Amino acid sequence: MSGASLTPPLGPRTLSAPRLLLALLRPRKRPLAVALALSAVESAPTLLSGLLIAAAIDRGFLAGRPGIGLALLGLLAAVMSLKAVATRLTLPVLAKVVEPLRDDLVRAVVTATVTRAAGGAEPPDTAAVNRLTAQVETVRNLVSALLRSSRQLGMSLIAALVGLLALSPPAAAIAVGPVVLALAVFAWLLRTLASRQRALILADERLTAEATPILSGLRDVAACGAHDQARATVDAAVSAQVAATMSMAWAGTGRRLVVTLGVHVPLLVLLIAARPLVDGGHLSAGEVIGAVTYLATGLDPALRMLISTVGGWGVAIAVTLRRIAESVTVPVTSPRTGTGPGPLGHRLDAERLTFGYAPEATPVVRDLDLTIPEGEHLAVVGPSGAGKSTLSMLLTGLLPPTGGRILLGGLPLDETPEHRLRTMIALVPQEAYVFAGTVRENLAYLGADTDARLRAAAAAVGALPLVERLGGLDAVIEEPSSLSAGEKQLIALARVHASPARTVVLDEATCHLDPAAEQRAEEAFAGRDGTLVVIAHRISSAMRARRVLLMDGGTTTAGTHQELLTRSPLYADLVGHWRTNEKRTMP
């Protein structure tokens, strides 16, 4: 990753596309300056070509001195060779700009997408996949193309006009009118090109957003017999994308008119006026050929490049960057950035806690009143889909409730400063996360500060043999996928055990461990200073807890294991089901 900062796009205000591009290019001033200097060298043939050719003809070949003519043409060849060397040196310099720029964009898009999803205020942005792949790569390719082309564009255009003016003011006057008119027409066309390019990008995003959930849920589509509805949804998105592509293609044809007006018309007028100008003594034969050289090899490619670059790549990058700038702006919605005193203690209180995944959906958690004192050991049980994992996300502040509130140490969870909350409460999910890095980095990133603490935590939860087998704390985990699900859970458990968090929620965090390993891990957390909430995977977890919370479709019942056995038929059924499964899995 590069060291460029994209903090502004991630703030509450959206940057414009030019400002975002400047933010990306600003840290790379040195390679850009080197590229500009090399571009000046590359423009030398354009500046000198007409002058040298005119001099070779008038002072050399037509004057009966072919040696001078050949020498002047040889000088032009040497200048062109110098251009080739400068071009070769430029490409590595531009790579130092383009590749880090792509890294910065990827980081900004990922940060914004994950931040939005983690905040819970917005649904996951499925179109971010298109933004992260197609749009970022498009920007990378376009910036690369623009830097390769535009650095020559300005230099070549200026060099051609300066050379033409130095060679012959009348010839320069012939070219100026059509070129100015062509540029005016082109400026008028740019707005249409930008509008249709944006429509094309939005159509691509819509296709990705519509197709992604359908492709990932093909089994559900088949099970529900929703083939026709799924096909109609995708067909509509594909048709919109096709229409946007065709509209963009038709708008692009207008660029050909601009090329004809700005390139072909001046050349044609010069050729028609050449005989009268030569006969009137305004131009020599060599100056006519030199002027044609400037128009054909200097102004022509420069103008074509301008129209192609700005009208194609320039419009595409402006629209794409504008879309990315919109998407990487994260709204400031959480008040947790405050610097208040923080909670007093670690007691958790849920007051009429309610949560539903959609306004029209039946709440998964409804009007829950629950107190978890400091030092409590609570097991949460219930049928699949009863809302146990949802409750774990609510208690840890990873999901905002749709009704009611949660207090930590007497302070509402949504008013607790984020940095305080993440050091006080930790969640260990069922799917443990291990990243590429050393074992020490994996165990310590929640705040553990000494190797002794890391080893003690690993020993407590039963992960120390795994740490030693991997090669100790300094061992590098290059491929996290090479670890089993149980090994990942042991690393995650040791990580949280070593953290300063006083409230720990285990959401089936030991489901890939055998019963003995699960018992050891849970007892390690229960014996640790703090509160333990266990989303139970086995009956043994509920039996070890001081108190059990039974969840069932929006209703809850709390008590000890023995109390619930006598008071709740559902709990008795769950216990019987667990015990039956345990007998089946016993060797």
Side-chain angles (χ1 to χ4, degrees), residues 211-227 230 234:
T212 297
I214 292 176
L215 292 175
S216 61
L218 287 178
R219 291 185 179 180
D220 295 333
V221 171
C224 298
H227 302 84
V234 176

Side-chain angles (χ1 to χ4, degrees), residues 189-199 248 315 319:
L189 182 63
L190 279 178
R191 178 172 297 182
T192 300
L193 290 171
S195 174
R196 296 190 181 182
Q197 181 72 41
R198 178 173 174 82
M248 183 64 193
V315 169
V319 174

Side-chain angles (χ1 to χ4, degrees), residues 2-83:
S2 68
S5 172
L6 284 186
T7 301
L10 297 177
R13 184 179 62 171
T14 302
L15 285 184
S16 63
R19 291 182 63 200
L20 177 56
L21 183 59
L22 287 176
L24 291 166
L25 295 178
R26 190 176 295 115
R28 285 116 202 164
K29 293 179 180 178
R30 179 173 296 179
L32 287 172
V34 173
L36 183 63
L38 292 172
S39 299
V41 176
E42 288 180 284
S43 65
T46 303
L47 176 64
L48 300 176
S49 60
L51 291 170
L52 291 175
I53 289 175
I57 293 174
D58 291 337
R59 301 177 186 179
F61 301 113
L62 292 181
R65 292 181 288 183
I68 293 178
L70 291 174
L72 291 171
L73 293 180
L75 178 59
L76 179 58
V79 173
M80 296 183 70
S81 299
L82 186 62
K83 173 186 175 180

Side-chain angles (χ1 to χ4, degrees), residues 55 120 140 187 224 285 287 316 329 360 438 463:
R140 181 257 183 202
C224 298
E287 288 173 338
T329 301
E360 67 277 3
T438 66

